[in-house]
Amino acid sequence: MKSLLTNLTLATAICTSPVLWAETIKVDMTVKEVDVVVDNAGTTQAMWTYNGTIPGPLVRVKQGDVVDFTLLNHADNEQSHSMDFHAARVDVLDEFESIKPGQTKQFTFKAEYPGVFIYHCGSDSMAEHIARGMYGVIIVDPAEGYSENFPKADREYVLVQGDLFAPGTSADDMKMGNGWKGALVNGRQFHYDPVHDPNASQTLESRPGERVRIHFVNAMINEAAAFHPIAGIWEQVWDNGNPKNVAWGLQTVEVPPAHGLTLDIVSPADRPTNNALVDHRMKHALNGAISVLMNHAAADPKKGRGDQQLLR
């Protein structure tokens, strides 16, 4: 699967990497300063976004592909904005420059390293732009595909953890952590947790015994996440999502700001079970960073596949 949001243009690439065939992936995003729902009760808050959602659109390419990216800063916006792809090797003063409302910025980069990477706005104040919701994920699938140390998963979910600050919090206060209200998972507090929030209408799902792959990105501006599967163990963990960086049988993994991991969990095959995927820093967990994974025979066959890897 390539990007969930882009038009695809096939191209032939000759290179020295294992990639013999590459594609040029056209990705277009528009910055929108809009009111966004930030909890399961429907509370809205003024945020800054890519394409009107937090996180922004999921981009998925293959190692060796060329990303042809265009950013539009909508004319109705008040702020300058930019794009910083952590999967790119370019010039921070050129490709990642800020553009004013009504302007566009186009650049290309080759996805040379496999993994799960954050993208975010780098305009001043960077702390405020990220904290207001300007972040997303680009997954670069390895050129060599699956292997014994990087097996194919039955389902895949993308979880992005960010901050929620009180309305009106200044950029300087955000930078220092003042005015912090809670943690957002894919844009909402307790997004997939009906245990702690009766308004939550979604959970992650799988069938007993399935290998569930979590692509986790920490978009919080100041604090690391201690990611743990309650009632489970991470079967395999790939730092930065790179198949070469594999560890086995971990209980809790530290994910610094602006970093990502890919983690597999396999539930018992002989009975239905549930896991709570939490940031074990209780400040984060009990203010929004808990996601329930239900493992049962009637699991929705669409969840964790196709366009339901990042559940809105």
Side-chain angles (χ1 to χ4, degrees), residues 276-312:
L277 310 182
V278 307
D279 182 342
H280 220 294
R281 282 177 172 80
M282 292 296 102
K283 169 187 174 182
H284 300 157
L286 299 180
N287 286 288
I290 304 176
S291 301
V292 173
L293 170 62
M294 299 180 63
N295 312 297
H296 60 110
D300 186 336
K302 295 182 180 179
K303 281 189 176 181
R305 297 169 176 139
D307 63 359
Q308 291 198 37
Q309 295 179 43
L310 198 166
L311 300 179
R312 300 291 185 179

PDB file of all heavy atoms in Angstrom, residues 276-312:
ATOM      1  N   ALA A 276      -4.437  -2.830  27.119  1.00  0.00           N
ATOM      2  CA  ALA A 276      -4.476  -1.373  27.154  1.00  0.00           C
ATOM      3  C   ALA A 276      -3.086  -0.876  26.792  1.00  0.00           C
ATOM      4  O   ALA A 276      -2.120  -1.157  27.497  1.00  0.00           O
ATOM      5  CB  ALA A 276      -4.884  -0.873  28.534  1.00  0.00           C
ATOM      6  N   LEU A 277      -2.983  -0.185  25.684  1.00  0.00           N
ATOM      7  CA  LEU A 277      -1.702   0.353  25.223  1.00  0.00           C
ATOM      8  C   LEU A 277      -1.557   1.745  25.817  1.00  0.00           C
ATOM      9  O   LEU A 277      -2.299   2.673  25.461  1.00  0.00           O
ATOM     10  CB  LEU A 277      -1.672   0.411  23.696  1.00  0.00           C
ATOM     11  CG  LEU A 277      -2.096  -0.888  22.973  1.00  0.00           C
ATOM     12  CD1 LEU A 277      -1.963  -0.714  21.463  1.00  0.00           C
ATOM     13  CD2 LEU A 277      -1.298  -2.083  23.463  1.00  0.00           C
ATOM     14  N   VAL A 278      -0.623   1.892  26.767  1.00  0.00           N
ATOM     15  CA  VAL A 278      -0.583   3.101  27.568  1.00  0.00           C
ATOM     16  C   VAL A 278       0.797   3.747  27.544  1.00  0.00           C
ATOM     17  O   VAL A 278       1.816   3.082  27.354  1.00  0.00           O
ATOM     18  CB  VAL A 278      -0.962   2.828  29.041  1.00  0.00           C
ATOM     19  CG1 VAL A 278      -2.290   2.100  29.130  1.00  0.00           C
ATOM     20  CG2 VAL A 278       0.124   2.034  29.754  1.00  0.00           C
ATOM     21  N   ASP A 279       0.803   5.037  27.768  1.00  0.00           N
ATOM     22  CA  ASP A 279       2.013   5.738  28.152  1.00  0.00           C
ATOM     23  C   ASP A 279       2.092   5.609  29.667  1.00  0.00           C
ATOM     24  O   ASP A 279       1.261   6.153  30.392  1.00  0.00           O
ATOM     25  CB  ASP A 279       1.931   7.201  27.731  1.00  0.00           C
ATOM     26  CG  ASP A 279       3.184   7.989  28.069  1.00  0.00           C
ATOM     27  OD1 ASP A 279       3.973   7.532  28.918  1.00  0.00           O
ATOM     28  OD2 ASP A 279       3.361   9.086  27.512  1.00  0.00           O
ATOM     29  N   HIS A 280       3.069   4.843  30.153  1.00  0.00           N
ATOM     30  CA  HIS A 280       3.112   4.494  31.575  1.00  0.00           C
ATOM     31  C   HIS A 280       3.519   5.663  32.472  1.00  0.00           C
ATOM     32  O   HIS A 280       3.585   5.510  33.694  1.00  0.00           O
ATOM     33  CB  HIS A 280       4.043   3.300  31.805  1.00  0.00           C
ATOM     34  CG  HIS A 280       3.510   2.321  32.804  1.00  0.00           C
ATOM     35  ND1 HIS A 280       3.337   2.619  34.133  1.00  0.00           N
ATOM     36  CD2 HIS A 280       3.094   1.038  32.664  1.00  0.00           C
ATOM     37  CE1 HIS A 280       2.864   1.571  34.770  1.00  0.00           C
ATOM     38  NE2 HIS A 280       2.693   0.596  33.901  1.00  0.00           N
ATOM     39  N   ARG A 281       3.801   6.808  31.911  1.00  0.00           N
ATOM     40  CA  ARG A 281       3.866   8.017  32.725  1.00  0.00           C
ATOM     41  C   ARG A 281       2.424   8.388  33.068  1.00  0.00           C
ATOM     42  O   ARG A 281       1.660   8.803  32.210  1.00  0.00           O
ATOM     43  CB  ARG A 281       4.555   9.145  31.966  1.00  0.00           C
ATOM     44  CG  ARG A 281       6.069   9.007  31.931  1.00  0.00           C
ATOM     45  CD  ARG A 281       6.716  10.117  31.112  1.00  0.00           C
ATOM     46  NE  ARG A 281       8.167  10.068  31.257  1.00  0.00           N
ATOM     47  CZ  ARG A 281       8.959   9.220  30.595  1.00  0.00           C
ATOM     48  NH1 ARG A 281       8.429   8.364  29.730  1.00  0.00           N
ATOM     49  NH2 ARG A 281      10.260   9.231  30.781  1.00  0.00           N
ATOM     50  N   MET A 282       2.059   8.237  34.327  1.00  0.00           N
ATOM     51  CA  MET A 282       0.656   8.356  34.712  1.00  0.00           C
ATOM     52  C   MET A 282       0.068   9.719  34.382  1.00  0.00           C
ATOM     53  O   MET A 282      -1.128   9.846  34.098  1.00  0.00           O
ATOM     54  CB  MET A 282       0.500   8.048  36.199  1.00  0.00           C
ATOM     55  CG  MET A 282       0.763   6.591  36.561  1.00  0.00           C
ATOM     56  SD  MET A 282      -0.446   5.445  35.803  1.00  0.00           S
ATOM     57  CE  MET A 282       0.517   4.786  34.436  1.00  0.00           C
ATOM     58  N   LYS A 283       0.907  10.744  34.385  1.00  0.00           N
ATOM     59  CA  LYS A 283       0.432  12.070  33.970  1.00  0.00           C
ATOM     60  C   LYS A 283      -0.161  12.005  32.576  1.00  0.00           C
ATOM     61  O   LYS A 283      -1.192  12.637  32.291  1.00  0.00           O
ATOM     62  CB  LYS A 283       1.601  13.054  34.014  1.00  0.00           C
ATOM     63  CG  LYS A 283       1.332  14.409  33.368  1.00  0.00           C
ATOM     64  CD  LYS A 283       2.603  15.240  33.320  1.00  0.00           C
ATOM     65  CE  LYS A 283       2.397  16.528  32.551  1.00  0.00           C
ATOM     66  NZ  LYS A 283       3.641  17.336  32.452  1.00  0.00           N
ATOM     67  N   HIS A 284       0.484  11.240  31.692  1.00  0.00           N
ATOM     68  CA  HIS A 284       0.001  11.125  30.321  1.00  0.00           C
ATOM     69  C   HIS A 284      -1.159  10.147  30.226  1.00  0.00           C
ATOM     70  O   HIS A 284      -2.180  10.435  29.591  1.00  0.00           O
ATOM     71  CB  HIS A 284       1.139  10.666  29.406  1.00  0.00           C
ATOM     72  CG  HIS A 284       2.303  11.603  29.372  1.00  0.00           C
ATOM     73  ND1 HIS A 284       3.573  11.194  29.018  1.00  0.00           N
ATOM     74  CD2 HIS A 284       2.407  12.931  29.645  1.00  0.00           C
ATOM     75  CE1 HIS A 284       4.399  12.234  29.058  1.00  0.00           C
ATOM     76  NE2 HIS A 284       3.721  13.287  29.447  1.00  0.00           N
ATOM     77  N   ALA A 285      -1.002   8.972  30.838  1.00  0.00           N
ATOM     78  CA  ALA A 285      -2.017   7.927  30.724  1.00  0.00           C
ATOM     79  C   ALA A 285      -3.373   8.394  31.209  1.00  0.00           C
ATOM     80  O   ALA A 285      -4.394   8.240  30.523  1.00  0.00           O
ATOM     81  CB  ALA A 285      -1.578   6.686  31.490  1.00  0.00           C
ATOM     82  N   LEU A 286      -3.406   8.980  32.401  1.00  0.00           N
ATOM     83  CA  LEU A 286      -4.681   9.324  33.024  1.00  0.00           C
ATOM     84  C   LEU A 286      -5.229  10.656  32.542  1.00  0.00           C
ATOM     85  O   LEU A 286      -6.275  11.113  33.023  1.00  0.00           O
ATOM     86  CB  LEU A 286      -4.532   9.313  34.541  1.00  0.00           C
ATOM     87  CG  LEU A 286      -4.118   7.944  35.110  1.00  0.00           C
ATOM     88  CD1 LEU A 286      -3.984   8.005  36.619  1.00  0.00           C
ATOM     89  CD2 LEU A 286      -5.114   6.856  34.704  1.00  0.00           C
ATOM     90  N   ASN A 287      -4.553  11.245  31.574  1.00  0.00           N
ATOM     91  CA  ASN A 287      -5.073  12.444  30.913  1.00  0.00           C
ATOM     92  C   ASN A 287      -5.220  12.239  29.415  1.00  0.00           C
ATOM     93  O   ASN A 287      -5.146  13.196  28.651  1.00  0.00           O
ATOM     94  CB  ASN A 287      -4.180  13.642  31.213  1.00  0.00           C
ATOM     95  CG  ASN A 287      -4.353  14.167  32.628  1.00  0.00           C
ATOM     96  OD1 ASN A 287      -5.368  14.777  32.950  1.00  0.00           O
ATOM     97  ND2 ASN A 287      -3.368  13.908  33.473  1.00  0.00           N
ATOM     98  N   GLY A 288      -5.385  10.956  29.003  1.00  0.00           N
ATOM     99  CA  GLY A 288      -5.741  10.715  27.615  1.00  0.00           C
ATOM    100  C   GLY A 288      -4.976   9.669  26.854  1.00  0.00           C
ATOM    101  O   GLY A 288      -5.420   9.224  25.793  1.00  0.00           O
ATOM    102  N   ALA A 289      -3.802   9.219  27.368  1.00  0.00           N
ATOM    103  CA  ALA A 289      -2.931   8.346  26.575  1.00  0.00           C
ATOM    104  C   ALA A 289      -3.124   6.872  26.909  1.00  0.00           C
ATOM    105  O   ALA A 289      -2.200   6.177  27.335  1.00  0.00           O
ATOM    106  CB  ALA A 289      -1.480   8.749  26.758  1.00  0.00           C
ATOM    107  N   ILE A 290      -4.350   6.377  26.718  1.00  0.00           N
ATOM    108  CA  ILE A 290      -4.675   4.958  26.873  1.00  0.00           C
ATOM    109  C   ILE A 290      -5.505   4.539  25.670  1.00  0.00           C
ATOM    110  O   ILE A 290      -6.486   5.201  25.325  1.00  0.00           O
ATOM    111  CB  ILE A 290      -5.466   4.669  28.161  1.00  0.00           C
ATOM    112  CG1 ILE A 290      -4.707   5.174  29.398  1.00  0.00           C
ATOM    113  CG2 ILE A 290      -5.764   3.180  28.287  1.00  0.00           C
ATOM    114  CD1 ILE A 290      -5.470   5.010  30.704  1.00  0.00           C
ATOM    115  N   SER A 291      -5.127   3.438  25.028  1.00  0.00           N
ATOM    116  CA  SER A 291      -5.877   2.898  23.890  1.00  0.00           C
ATOM    117  C   SER A 291      -6.156   1.425  24.138  1.00  0.00           C
ATOM    118  O   SER A 291      -5.232   0.668  24.450  1.00  0.00           O
ATOM    119  CB  SER A 291      -5.081   3.058  22.580  1.00  0.00           C
ATOM    120  OG  SER A 291      -4.795   4.413  22.321  1.00  0.00           O
ATOM    121  N   VAL A 292      -7.394   1.012  23.988  1.00  0.00           N
ATOM    122  CA  VAL A 292      -7.798  -0.375  24.236  1.00  0.00           C
ATOM    123  C   VAL A 292      -7.701  -1.181  22.949  1.00  0.00           C
ATOM    124  O   VAL A 292      -8.229  -0.773  21.901  1.00  0.00           O
ATOM    125  CB  VAL A 292      -9.222  -0.443  24.807  1.00  0.00           C
ATOM    126  CG1 VAL A 292      -9.693  -1.887  24.912  1.00  0.00           C
ATOM    127  CG2 VAL A 292      -9.281   0.241  26.177  1.00  0.00           C
ATOM    128  N   LEU A 293      -7.019  -2.330  23.041  1.00  0.00           N
ATOM    129  CA  LEU A 293      -6.956  -3.302  21.952  1.00  0.00           C
ATOM    130  C   LEU A 293      -7.777  -4.513  22.360  1.00  0.00           C
ATOM    131  O   LEU A 293      -7.435  -5.213  23.311  1.00  0.00           O
ATOM    132  CB  LEU A 293      -5.508  -3.712  21.680  1.00  0.00           C
ATOM    133  CG  LEU A 293      -5.290  -4.894  20.718  1.00  0.00           C
ATOM    134  CD1 LEU A 293      -5.821  -4.583  19.326  1.00  0.00           C
ATOM    135  CD2 LEU A 293      -3.807  -5.276  20.660  1.00  0.00           C
ATOM    136  N   MET A 294      -8.876  -4.750  21.663  1.00  0.00           N
ATOM    137  CA  MET A 294      -9.764  -5.882  21.949  1.00  0.00           C
ATOM    138  C   MET A 294      -9.443  -7.030  21.003  1.00  0.00           C
ATOM    139  O   MET A 294      -9.492  -6.860  19.781  1.00  0.00           O
ATOM    140  CB  MET A 294     -11.226  -5.457  21.800  1.00  0.00           C
ATOM    141  CG  MET A 294     -11.670  -4.349  22.731  1.00  0.00           C
ATOM    142  SD  MET A 294     -13.425  -3.903  22.505  1.00  0.00           S
ATOM    143  CE  MET A 294     -14.229  -5.452  22.975  1.00  0.00           C
ATOM    144  N   ASN A 295      -9.113  -8.196  21.560  1.00  0.00           N
ATOM    145  CA  ASN A 295      -8.782  -9.380  20.770  1.00  0.00           C
ATOM    146  C   ASN A 295      -9.923 -10.381  20.899  1.00  0.00           C
ATOM    147  O   ASN A 295     -10.060 -11.041  21.930  1.00  0.00           O
ATOM    148  CB  ASN A 295      -7.468  -9.987  21.281  1.00  0.00           C
ATOM    149  CG  ASN A 295      -6.375  -8.943  21.443  1.00  0.00           C
ATOM    150  OD1 ASN A 295      -5.951  -8.321  20.479  1.00  0.00           O
ATOM    151  ND2 ASN A 295      -5.923  -8.732  22.675  1.00  0.00           N
ATOM    152  N   HIS A 296     -10.762 -10.473  19.872  1.00  0.00           N
ATOM    153  CA  HIS A 296     -11.937 -11.337  19.954  1.00  0.00           C
ATOM    154  C   HIS A 296     -12.304 -11.849  18.571  1.00  0.00           C
ATOM    155  O   HIS A 296     -11.941 -11.254  17.550  1.00  0.00           O
ATOM    156  CB  HIS A 296     -13.118 -10.601  20.593  1.00  0.00           C
ATOM    157  CG  HIS A 296     -13.548  -9.364  19.834  1.00  0.00           C
ATOM    158  ND1 HIS A 296     -14.736  -9.291  19.150  1.00  0.00           N
ATOM    159  CD2 HIS A 296     -12.936  -8.159  19.639  1.00  0.00           C
ATOM    160  CE1 HIS A 296     -14.854  -8.100  18.590  1.00  0.00           C
ATOM    161  NE2 HIS A 296     -13.769  -7.392  18.874  1.00  0.00           N
ATOM    162  N   ALA A 297     -13.065 -12.936  18.537  1.00  0.00           N
ATOM    163  CA  ALA A 297     -13.349 -13.623  17.276  1.00  0.00           C
ATOM    164  C   ALA A 297     -14.145 -12.772  16.298  1.00  0.00           C
ATOM    165  O   ALA A 297     -14.037 -12.950  15.081  1.00  0.00           O
ATOM    166  CB  ALA A 297     -14.090 -14.929  17.561  1.00  0.00           C
ATOM    167  N   ALA A 298     -14.947 -11.849  16.826  1.00  0.00           N
ATOM    168  CA  ALA A 298     -15.792 -11.028  15.962  1.00  0.00           C
ATOM    169  C   ALA A 298     -15.140  -9.702  15.595  1.00  0.00           C
ATOM    170  O   ALA A 298     -15.830  -8.756  15.203  1.00  0.00           O
ATOM    171  CB  ALA A 298     -17.131 -10.771  16.649  1.00  0.00           C
ATOM    172  N   ALA A 299     -13.825  -9.617  15.687  1.00  0.00           N
ATOM    173  CA  ALA A 299     -13.128  -8.371  15.361  1.00  0.00           C
ATOM    174  C   ALA A 299     -13.461  -7.898  13.956  1.00  0.00           C
ATOM    175  O   ALA A 299     -13.564  -8.706  13.020  1.00  0.00           O
ATOM    176  CB  ALA A 299     -11.621  -8.574  15.498  1.00  0.00           C
ATOM    177  N   ASP A 300     -13.655  -6.612  13.823  1.00  0.00           N
ATOM    178  CA  ASP A 300     -13.961  -6.003  12.531  1.00  0.00           C
ATOM    179  C   ASP A 300     -12.841  -6.345  11.545  1.00  0.00           C
ATOM    180  O   ASP A 300     -11.684  -5.979  11.762  1.00  0.00           O
ATOM    181  CB  ASP A 300     -14.082  -4.495  12.698  1.00  0.00           C
ATOM    182  CG  ASP A 300     -14.549  -3.780  11.446  1.00  0.00           C
ATOM    183  OD1 ASP A 300     -14.368  -4.318  10.334  1.00  0.00           O
ATOM    184  OD2 ASP A 300     -15.068  -2.655  11.565  1.00  0.00           O
ATOM    185  N   PRO A 301     -13.149  -7.029  10.449  1.00  0.00           N
ATOM    186  CA  PRO A 301     -12.089  -7.436   9.514  1.00  0.00           C
ATOM    187  C   PRO A 301     -11.428  -6.275   8.793  1.00  0.00           C
ATOM    188  O   PRO A 301     -10.351  -6.437   8.219  1.00  0.00           O
ATOM    189  CB  PRO A 301     -12.824  -8.350   8.527  1.00  0.00           C
ATOM    190  CG  PRO A 301     -14.253  -7.922   8.598  1.00  0.00           C
ATOM    191  CD  PRO A 301     -14.481  -7.497  10.014  1.00  0.00           C
ATOM    192  N   LYS A 302     -12.043  -5.082   8.814  1.00  0.00           N
ATOM    193  CA  LYS A 302     -11.470  -3.931   8.119  1.00  0.00           C
ATOM    194  C   LYS A 302     -10.488  -3.161   8.993  1.00  0.00           C
ATOM    195  O   LYS A 302      -9.586  -2.490   8.473  1.00  0.00           O
ATOM    196  CB  LYS A 302     -12.588  -2.992   7.659  1.00  0.00           C
ATOM    197  CG  LYS A 302     -13.510  -3.594   6.611  1.00  0.00           C
ATOM    198  CD  LYS A 302     -14.561  -2.591   6.170  1.00  0.00           C
ATOM    199  CE  LYS A 302     -15.488  -3.176   5.110  1.00  0.00           C
ATOM    200  NZ  LYS A 302     -16.527  -2.198   4.696  1.00  0.00           N
ATOM    201  N   LYS A 303     -10.640  -3.251  10.296  1.00  0.00           N
ATOM    202  CA  LYS A 303      -9.772  -2.465  11.174  1.00  0.00           C
ATOM    203  C   LYS A 303      -8.337  -2.973  11.125  1.00  0.00           C
ATOM    204  O   LYS A 303      -8.084  -4.169  11.110  1.00  0.00           O
ATOM    205  CB  LYS A 303     -10.283  -2.519  12.618  1.00  0.00           C
ATOM    206  CG  LYS A 303     -11.458  -1.591  12.894  1.00  0.00           C
ATOM    207  CD  LYS A 303     -11.760  -1.546  14.392  1.00  0.00           C
ATOM    208  CE  LYS A 303     -12.861  -0.562  14.702  1.00  0.00           C
ATOM    209  NZ  LYS A 303     -13.139  -0.486  16.153  1.00  0.00           N
ATOM    210  N   GLY A 304      -7.414  -2.016  11.099  1.00  0.00           N
ATOM    211  CA  GLY A 304      -6.008  -2.383  11.027  1.00  0.00           C
ATOM    212  C   GLY A 304      -5.537  -2.776   9.644  1.00  0.00           C
ATOM    213  O   GLY A 304      -4.441  -3.318   9.487  1.00  0.00           O
ATOM    214  N   ARG A 305      -6.349  -2.463   8.648  1.00  0.00           N
ATOM    215  CA  ARG A 305      -6.020  -2.792   7.268  1.00  0.00           C
ATOM    216  C   ARG A 305      -6.440  -1.649   6.354  1.00  0.00           C
ATOM    217  O   ARG A 305      -7.398  -0.919   6.650  1.00  0.00           O
ATOM    218  CB  ARG A 305      -6.699  -4.093   6.832  1.00  0.00           C
ATOM    219  CG  ARG A 305      -6.233  -5.312   7.649  1.00  0.00           C
ATOM    220  CD  ARG A 305      -7.068  -6.530   7.403  1.00  0.00           C
ATOM    221  NE  ARG A 305      -6.529  -7.686   8.130  1.00  0.00           N
ATOM    222  CZ  ARG A 305      -7.268  -8.583   8.770  1.00  0.00           C
ATOM    223  NH1 ARG A 305      -8.572  -8.474   8.759  1.00  0.00           N
ATOM    224  NH2 ARG A 305      -6.701  -9.582   9.405  1.00  0.00           N
ATOM    225  N   GLY A 306      -5.738  -1.520   5.222  1.00  0.00           N
ATOM    226  CA  GLY A 306      -6.128  -0.499   4.243  1.00  0.00           C
ATOM    227  C   GLY A 306      -6.182   0.888   4.853  1.00  0.00           C
ATOM    228  O   GLY A 306      -5.264   1.314   5.545  1.00  0.00           O
ATOM    229  N   ASP A 307      -7.287   1.585   4.624  1.00  0.00           N
ATOM    230  CA  ASP A 307      -7.413   2.951   5.104  1.00  0.00           C
ATOM    231  C   ASP A 307      -7.871   3.038   6.551  1.00  0.00           C
ATOM    232  O   ASP A 307      -8.155   4.140   7.057  1.00  0.00           O
ATOM    233  CB  ASP A 307      -8.359   3.764   4.200  1.00  0.00           C
ATOM    234  CG  ASP A 307      -9.774   3.212   4.198  1.00  0.00           C
ATOM    235  OD1 ASP A 307     -10.037   2.196   4.876  1.00  0.00           O
ATOM    236  OD2 ASP A 307     -10.632   3.805   3.507  1.00  0.00           O
ATOM    237  N   GLN A 308      -7.926   1.888   7.248  1.00  0.00           N
ATOM    238  CA  GLN A 308      -8.281   1.909   8.661  1.00  0.00           C
ATOM    239  C   GLN A 308      -7.080   1.529   9.538  1.00  0.00           C
ATOM    240  O   GLN A 308      -7.231   0.903  10.583  1.00  0.00           O
ATOM    241  CB  GLN A 308      -9.472   0.980   8.934  1.00  0.00           C
ATOM    242  CG  GLN A 308     -10.767   1.496   8.324  1.00  0.00           C
ATOM    243  CD  GLN A 308     -11.985   0.854   8.943  1.00  0.00           C
ATOM    244  OE1 GLN A 308     -12.050   0.588  10.132  1.00  0.00           O
ATOM    245  NE2 GLN A 308     -12.978   0.593   8.113  1.00  0.00           N
ATOM    246  N   GLN A 309      -5.902   1.926   9.115  1.00  0.00           N
ATOM    247  CA  GLN A 309      -4.720   1.771   9.955  1.00  0.00           C
ATOM    248  C   GLN A 309      -4.554   2.961  10.897  1.00  0.00           C
ATOM    249  O   GLN A 309      -3.990   2.839  11.978  1.00  0.00           O
ATOM    250  CB  GLN A 309      -3.476   1.601   9.088  1.00  0.00           C
ATOM    251  CG  GLN A 309      -3.508   0.315   8.262  1.00  0.00           C
ATOM    252  CD  GLN A 309      -2.291   0.157   7.380  1.00  0.00           C
ATOM    253  OE1 GLN A 309      -1.173   0.415   7.814  1.00  0.00           O
ATOM    254  NE2 GLN A 309      -2.503  -0.258   6.144  1.00  0.00           N
ATOM    255  N   LEU A 310      -5.054   4.107  10.481  1.00  0.00           N
ATOM    256  CA  LEU A 310      -5.128   5.278  11.343  1.00  0.00           C
ATOM    257  C   LEU A 310      -6.605   5.600  11.487  1.00  0.00           C
ATOM    258  O   LEU A 310      -7.224   6.153  10.575  1.00  0.00           O
ATOM    259  CB  LEU A 310      -4.351   6.461  10.764  1.00  0.00           C
ATOM    260  CG  LEU A 310      -3.971   7.598  11.704  1.00  0.00           C
ATOM    261  CD1 LEU A 310      -2.922   8.510  11.072  1.00  0.00           C
ATOM    262  CD2 LEU A 310      -5.161   8.412  12.165  1.00  0.00           C
ATOM    263  N   LEU A 311      -7.181   5.220  12.621  1.00  0.00           N
ATOM    264  CA  LEU A 311      -8.621   5.349  12.826  1.00  0.00           C
ATOM    265  C   LEU A 311      -8.969   6.777  13.214  1.00  0.00           C
ATOM    266  O   LEU A 311      -8.437   7.325  14.177  1.00  0.00           O
ATOM    267  CB  LEU A 311      -9.101   4.390  13.915  1.00  0.00           C
ATOM    268  CG  LEU A 311      -8.865   2.888  13.650  1.00  0.00           C
ATOM    269  CD1 LEU A 311      -9.376   2.079  14.837  1.00  0.00           C
ATOM    270  CD2 LEU A 311      -9.543   2.441  12.365  1.00  0.00           C
ATOM    271  N   ARG A 312      -9.864   7.386  12.463  1.00  0.00           N
ATOM    272  CA  ARG A 312     -10.296   8.760  12.742  1.00  0.00           C
ATOM    273  C   ARG A 312     -11.521   8.749  13.670  1.00  0.00           C
ATOM    274  O   ARG A 312     -12.271   7.816  13.720  1.00  0.00           O
ATOM    275  CB  ARG A 312     -10.647   9.497  11.459  1.00  0.00           C
ATOM    276  CG  ARG A 312      -9.480   9.604  10.479  1.00  0.00           C
ATOM    277  CD  ARG A 312      -8.404  10.519  11.003  1.00  0.00           C
ATOM    278  NE  ARG A 312      -7.337  10.712  10.007  1.00  0.00           N
ATOM    279  CZ  ARG A 312      -6.279  11.482  10.208  1.00  0.00           C
ATOM    280  NH1 ARG A 312      -6.125  12.119  11.366  1.00  0.00           N
ATOM    281  NH2 ARG A 312      -5.352  11.605   9.278  1.00  0.00           N
TER     282      ARG A 312
END
